[in-house]
Amino acid sequence: MPGLFRKARAKSATGGSLFKPPMQTLIIEPGRAERNYWRDLVHYRELFFILAWRDVAVRYKQTVAGVAWALIQPLMSMVIMTFIFEKLAGLHSEGNAPYPVMVFAAILPWQFFSNALSLASQSVVTNANLISKIYFPRLIVPASSVMVSLVDFLVACSILAGLMVWYHFWPTWRLIILPALVLLAIAAAVGPGLITTALTVKYRDFRILIPFVVQFGMYLCPIAYSSSLMREKLGEKWFLLYSVNPMVGVIDGFRWAILGTSASFDWHGFIISVVLTGVLLYIGIRYFRKIERVFADII
Amino acid sequence: MSETLIKVEKLSKKYVIRHQGAAEGLRHALQEVAKTPFRWFKQSLGAGSVNGHDHRLNGGQAAKLNPQKSSEDFWALKEVSFEVKQGEVVGIIGRNGAGKSTLLKILSRITEPTVGRIQITGRVASLLEVGTGFHPELTGRENIFLNGAILGMSRAEIRRKFDAIVAFAEVDRFLDTPVKRYSSGMYVRLAFAVAAHLEPEILIVDEVLAVGDAEFQKKCLGKMQEVSKGGRTVLFVSHNVGAIKQLCDRCILFRSGTVQQDGPCDEVISNYLTDATLCENGVIDLRHHPARSRASKPLISEIVIRNGQDQPTAQLFPEEALLFDITIASFETIRNPRVALAIEDSHGRRLMTMASYFDQSPLPNLSGKTTIRCESSPLQLGPGRYLLSVSIGTKEHGLIDSIDGASWFEILWNNNYRNGEPYQSVYGPFLKSSKWEVVYD
């Protein structure tokens, strides 16, 4: 046996065989995992896909409506908002876009964001048994729960298409930009998501806090109303402060792409949101990676 | 000689134990942030500031700032070094808290060491539990793929071994049933089957054999033997001395976070088993006992085992009621004390625990030197050697003093039973008294 073993090694050392990978040498010492982090992340991509698949597969198991829930939730929100804010409060849409379409263009990214944030912050705690038994870059866990929200988001997009057909509201060339905006939405969700994930592991207070924050955020973001209405009320200077919320930029971007020329768009606010998204993403990754090394010890 | 696959050098791992009552949690953290926001921000983002060295510095600072020390260092492993060569099957034994699990966690990269270095050559699979990541809502088929991926198999590899896994687990009829509907036996079989078909160069196994029924355990042991005969390197951690004897040729004994002995299996196991000595007269002096866990305050100073006639002795009969006199000496008052005695057999299997808090009447607060008496009904254990452990704690502070493996005592085979026939191990560990008569003719 040892002979065989050595032969395989020698062969791979000369690059002779594609099928027998060289015996990898693993070194464990303080601070080591930190240095090889991104390489490990690539190495464990298959685990990422399978965890994401698991989370998607499990999400609607043993439910009667199944994946239809991903349609019902945003649809009901849209109907209620249209009833309360358009019919009762008398808010109006932007340009000639129908109010339900305007609202739905915002509900889509918002629901993605809030789902991603809540699922991600719970993810490490709910996968505690994995964390304490198996090594892998912990970033995979919240990332895979963001994938679940993304699947819900894609399913819900079909409602938007339906609404637009119903109201005979046709999109412009700007729709092509939408995928880039989806990436922005992912970045906006992942940054805060990683921070709250790490914090939830340390302080379970965040398990209670997050749903509350999400509920609150719904009114802080321009969902039932347009951000131009907010700008009118706040004035230019205060509106820039309002735009510090990354979701303001994402939602404005979605409306710009979906509603076309009907949407008002404020470049200054958008840039502030994008920059903040970047900053939060950076802080999120740094903070998560700092705490993740002790996850197994404190979970 | 074959080459070294695992090389562990001066490995140490430190945990910081927070004492109850000390400020911790979110409120404390927020207070800290409010006090020194800038330093906190720097610390939070500073790269690599949590390596062993800085850790110690921070700990020192904290201790200096706060005279009432709210936390203390606990070295779960201290300068552990050993090497494992290719094809070796090494057993790792030690009492609870000896550092075995910490070693496994570091080897499988779940947690990082504080000091030291490990070099591992080859693919490692660690089985710290069977069925890690099994999802109850998913079907057996889906869980095979999920669990395989978690254990580090590629999808192609799982597909190749799929049939063998199903055959080993004997669950083919239930492949498309969610595993939450499985019986626990089926669940464990499926979980072990996936793990058993891993083909790493190095396999790290932790007490997985403690699950499943006897027949399945036999099957698992067989599979493990097959694996180890195939030239694979195995690290096997277990309390089950029998299983270690059967599988390993070399054994490492851990005690208090250090390697106590490293050598041929039989020698090490006999050393492990005689770790605690048989007390001849039933009086066990615990003041400087080697098996006392390190986090303990030495409060329990003595145990006296007394037989039915109130005589101190370590030789008892199965049908004899017995008394344990536990002497506790403490300067401080121990509020709501909870005292427990546990008994293990010679395979290291815990058989029972007798605890004061199982009883309806709690013990009073203790201060100074007190002797507590535990009256036990007959143990009804079969003849053999048994290991006695003792601990004291409180509900608020958890364990304060614990001696895991304080002393052996013996249950004798009373020749009055069965007209002097020998007791056989197949009878099982317990010797229930029973009365037999004919009621229907």
Side-chain angles (χ1 to χ4, degrees):
Chain A
M1 272 322 269
L4 255 177
F5 178 75
R6 249 182 230 126
K7 220 189 282 170
R9 247 185 94 110
K11 218 170 161 189
S12 58
T14 54
S17 170
L18 272 173
F19 301 104
K20 193 92 188 172
M23 291 283 273
Q24 21 170 292
T25 301
L26 174 73
I27 292 174
I28 301 171
E29 58 189 353
R32 187 90 189 185
E34 180 75 13
R35 266 172 276 154
N36 297 334
Y37 197 80
W38 297 107
R39 212 187 60 196
D40 272 358
L41 204 59
V42 174
H43 183 77
Y44 281 89
R45 63 187 182 278
E46 201 158 324
L47 183 63
F48 164 68
F49 289 124
I50 208 142
L51 283 184
W53 163 81
R54 177 199 71 175
D55 290 344
V56 172
V58 163
R59 187 156 166 83
Y60 298 111
K61 284 248 173 167
Q62 213 172 6
T63 58
V64 177
V67 90
W69 279 115
L71 299 172
I72 295 168
Q73 281 172 305
L75 197 64
M76 289 309 286
S77 314
M78 187 272 289
V79 169
I80 288 167
M81 275 191 201
T82 307
F83 178 72
I84 291 177
F85 291 102
E86 193 194 17
K87 306 287 181 222
L88 291 184
L91 288 183
H92 51 81
S93 180
E94 291 192 291
N96 56 357
Y99 186 83
V101 175
M102 184 202 80
V103 166
F104 205 79
I107 285 179
L108 271 182
W110 173 255
Q111 207 126 64
F112 164 72
F113 174 82
S114 60
N115 276 343
L117 193 68
S118 347
L119 287 177
S121 35
Q122 304 276 348
S123 62
V124 172
V125 176
T126 42
N127 285 299
N129 67 330
L130 268 193
I131 303 281
S132 56
K133 298 290 180 203
I134 297 282
Y135 168 78
F136 55 89
R138 301 335 189 178
L139 209 55
I140 286 179
V141 172
S144 81
S145 56
V146 170
M147 291 300 287
V148 175
S149 323
L150 195 65
V151 170
D152 274 9
F153 166 83
L154 293 175
V155 171
C157 277
S158 62
I159 298 183
L160 182 70
L163 276 178
M164 289 172 94
V165 172
W166 175 267
Y167 285 103
H168 300 287
F169 186 83
W170 307 117
T172 62
W173 61 269
R174 290 183 184 178
L175 203 64
I176 305 166
I177 310 296
L178 201 62
L181 289 165
V182 173
L183 287 182
L184 182 67
I186 293 174
V190 168
L194 289 180
I195 298 173
T196 55
T197 308
L199 284 171
T200 310
V201 177
K202 259 187 132 169
Y203 314 110
R204 297 290 146 88
D205 308 55
F206 284 87
R207 270 189 130 157
I208 301 153
L209 200 61
I210 297 295
F212 177 68
V213 167
V214 164
Q215 201 181 22
F216 209 60
M218 180 127 173
Y219 298 100
L220 279 177
C221 294
I223 296 169
Y225 50 88
S226 66
S227 63
S228 57
L229 188 70
M230 200 46 127
R231 195 164 59 219
E232 270 168 41
K233 297 268 187 233
L234 291 177
E236 275 304 322
K237 234 165 75 191
W238 287 105
F239 181 73
L240 289 185
L241 188 69
Y242 177 73
S243 305
V244 163
N245 176 357
M247 281 314 286
V248 171
V250 173
I251 290 171
D252 274 3
F254 265 69
R255 283 196 177 138
W256 175 86
I258 292 165
L259 305 182
T261 43
S262 305
S264 65
F265 189 72
D266 185 81
W267 274 108
H268 296 287
F270 184 73
I271 287 167
I272 289 179
S273 289
V274 172
V275 168
L276 242 292
T277 303
V279 170
L280 280 177
L281 187 63
Y282 176 76
I283 293 178
I285 293 174
R286 285 296 290 274
Y287 184 63
F288 185 87
R289 286 187 54 193
K290 190 197 159 222
I291 303 290
E292 113 182 276
R293 276 177 292 162
V294 291
F295 272 2
D297 298 335
I298 60 176
I299 203 159
Chain B
M1 269 319 264
S2 40
E3 54 192 299
T4 304
L5 288 199
I6 304 176
K7 194 172 174 190
V8 177
E9 292 167 81
K10 302 216 162 192
L11 194 73
S12 301
K13 170 78 183 179
K14 183 181 77 175
Y15 285 105
V16 178
I17 306 171
R18 280 226 176 78
H19 291 302
Q20 283 273 341
E24 59 178 315
L26 184 60
R27 207 179 54 192
H28 175 68
L30 288 178
Q31 279 169 356
E32 286 294 301
V33 176
K35 265 188 257 167
T36 49
F38 185 65
R39 202 185 66 189
W40 177 83
F41 192 69
K42 247 170 74 181
Q43 271 180 3
S44 298
L45 294 184
S49 69
V50 199
N51 61 40
H53 189 62
D54 283 0
H55 225 75
R56 236 174 299 160
L57 269 179
N58 286 343
Q61 269 173 7
K64 237 178 271 166
L65 287 173
N66 189 356
Q68 282 177 315
K69 233 166 89 182
S70 61
S71 63
E72 65 184 86
D73 294 350
F74 172 71
W75 290 90
L77 286 177
K78 279 179 296 190
E79 306 224 328
V80 169
S81 306
F82 62 90
E83 286 184 11
V84 179
K85 293 199 160 48
Q86 204 236 328
E88 271 190 305
V89 181
V90 180
I92 292 178
I93 52 172
R95 304 231 144 261
N96 291 334
K100 297 170 307 202
S101 305
T102 309
L103 177 72
L104 284 201
K105 277 192 176 170
I106 294 173
L107 278 173
S108 32
R109 299 167 77 200
I110 293 158
T111 181
E112 279 201 322
T114 314
V115 192
R117 188 172 191 274
I118 302 176
Q119 190 175 325
I120 300 175
T121 314
R123 199 167 89 148
V124 186
S126 47
L127 269 180
L128 300 198
E129 150 193 273
V130 288
T132 307
F134 258 45
H135 200 290
E137 296 285 351
L138 297 176
T139 67
R141 183 190 305 277
E142 290 167 329
N143 267 310
I144 290 176
F145 280 91
L146 176 65
N147 191 229
I150 285 170
L151 294 175
M153 284 193 250
S154 71
R155 225 171 315 167
E157 200 180 339
I158 302 168
R159 213 167 289 143
R160 199 150 31 84
K161 292 175 185 158
F162 189 83
D163 291 333
I165 291 173
V166 174
F168 187 86
E170 301 163 22
V171 291
D172 31 348
R173 282 197 304 136
F174 306 99
L175 264 186
D176 295 305
T177 311
V179 296
K180 66 177 175 183
R181 309 226 188 283
Y182 278 30
S183 73
S184 54
M186 281 158 65
Y187 185 94
V188 169
R189 278 208 304 276
L190 182 65
F192 187 83
V194 181
H197 288 80
L198 272 171
E199 278 174 2
E201 282 89 16
I202 301 163
L203 186 64
I204 299 173
V205 189
D206 185 15
E207 311 231 45
V208 282
L209 296 172
V211 293
D213 51 29
E215 198 187 334
F216 183 67
Q217 284 195 8
K218 220 183 245 171
K219 202 169 165 184
C220 296
L221 268 177
K223 184 76 190 173
M224 298 262 305
Q225 242 157 0
E226 202 184 302
V227 165
S228 53
K229 287 216 178 82
R232 221 78 59 72
T233 308
V234 183
L235 273 189
F236 181 47
V237 175
S238 182
H239 267 128
N240 187 340
V241 173
I244 285 197
K245 253 185 192 161
Q246 208 172 335
L247 285 173
C248 312
D249 9 77
R250 180 183 152 199
C251 203
I252 301 176
L253 172 62
F254 273 76
R255 190 199 271 164
S256 305
T258 54
V259 174
Q260 176 85 8
Q261 197 186 1
D262 181 351
C265 216
D266 290 334
E267 271 175 39
V268 177
I269 285 177
S270 67
N271 190 346
Y272 168 70
L273 290 179
T274 52
D275 212 27
T277 45
L278 178 76
C279 57
E280 290 298 332
N281 52 4
V283 181
I284 310 155
D285 186 354
L286 295 173
R287 279 170 301 179
H288 307 285
H289 201 282
R292 170 169 273 123
S293 80
R294 274 159 302 153
S296 292
K297 284 186 195 163
L299 296 183
I300 307 171
S301 55
E302 192 184 71
I303 303 183
V304 181
I305 308 172
R306 290 175 195 273
N307 64 11
Q309 283 83 49
D310 214 11
Q311 246 110 51
T313 177
Q315 272 96 30
L316 301 152
F317 292 108
E319 286 301 334
E320 206 167 19
L322 62 165
L323 302 170
F324 298 94
D325 285 346
I326 304 159
T327 305
I328 292 156
S330 169
F331 293 117
E332 293 163 44
T333 307
I334 308 168
R335 290 177 197 289
N336 306 318
R338 299 170 142 202
V339 183
L341 290 165
I343 293 172
E344 282 164 37
D345 67 8
S346 56
H347 299 293
R349 190 168 39 164
R350 183 148 291 181
L351 298 176
M352 63 182 82
T353 297
M354 293 177 275
S356 65
Y357 51 94
F358 294 170
D359 196 18
Q360 288 304 316
S361 51
L363 287 169
N365 297 347
L366 304 176
S367 64
K369 194 169 174 181
T370 327
T371 300
I372 295 169
R373 173 164 286 189
C374 166
E375 253 184 80
S376 157
S377 55
L379 294 178
Q380 301 193 321
L381 289 169
R385 276 187 155 203
Y386 295 92
L387 191 59
L388 184 70
S389 299
V390 62
S391 69
I392 181 167
T394 64
K395 199 174 180 185
E396 291 77 31
H397 297 84
L399 222 52
I400 305 174
D401 189 13
S402 129
I403 299 125
D404 199 359
S407 171
W408 293 94
F409 64 92
E410 253 177 332
I411 302 283
L412 303 176
W413 182 236
N414 186 336
N415 283 334
N416 293 339
Y417 291 97
R418 319 283 175 271
N419 308 319
E421 272 178 52
Y423 191 83
Q424 292 170 26
S425 61
V426 285
Y427 295 158
F430 292 98
L431 190 76
K432 282 302 289 178
S433 63
S434 49
K435 212 175 139 194
W436 297 77
E437 59 184 337
V438 176
V439 288
Y440 182 73
D441 208 6

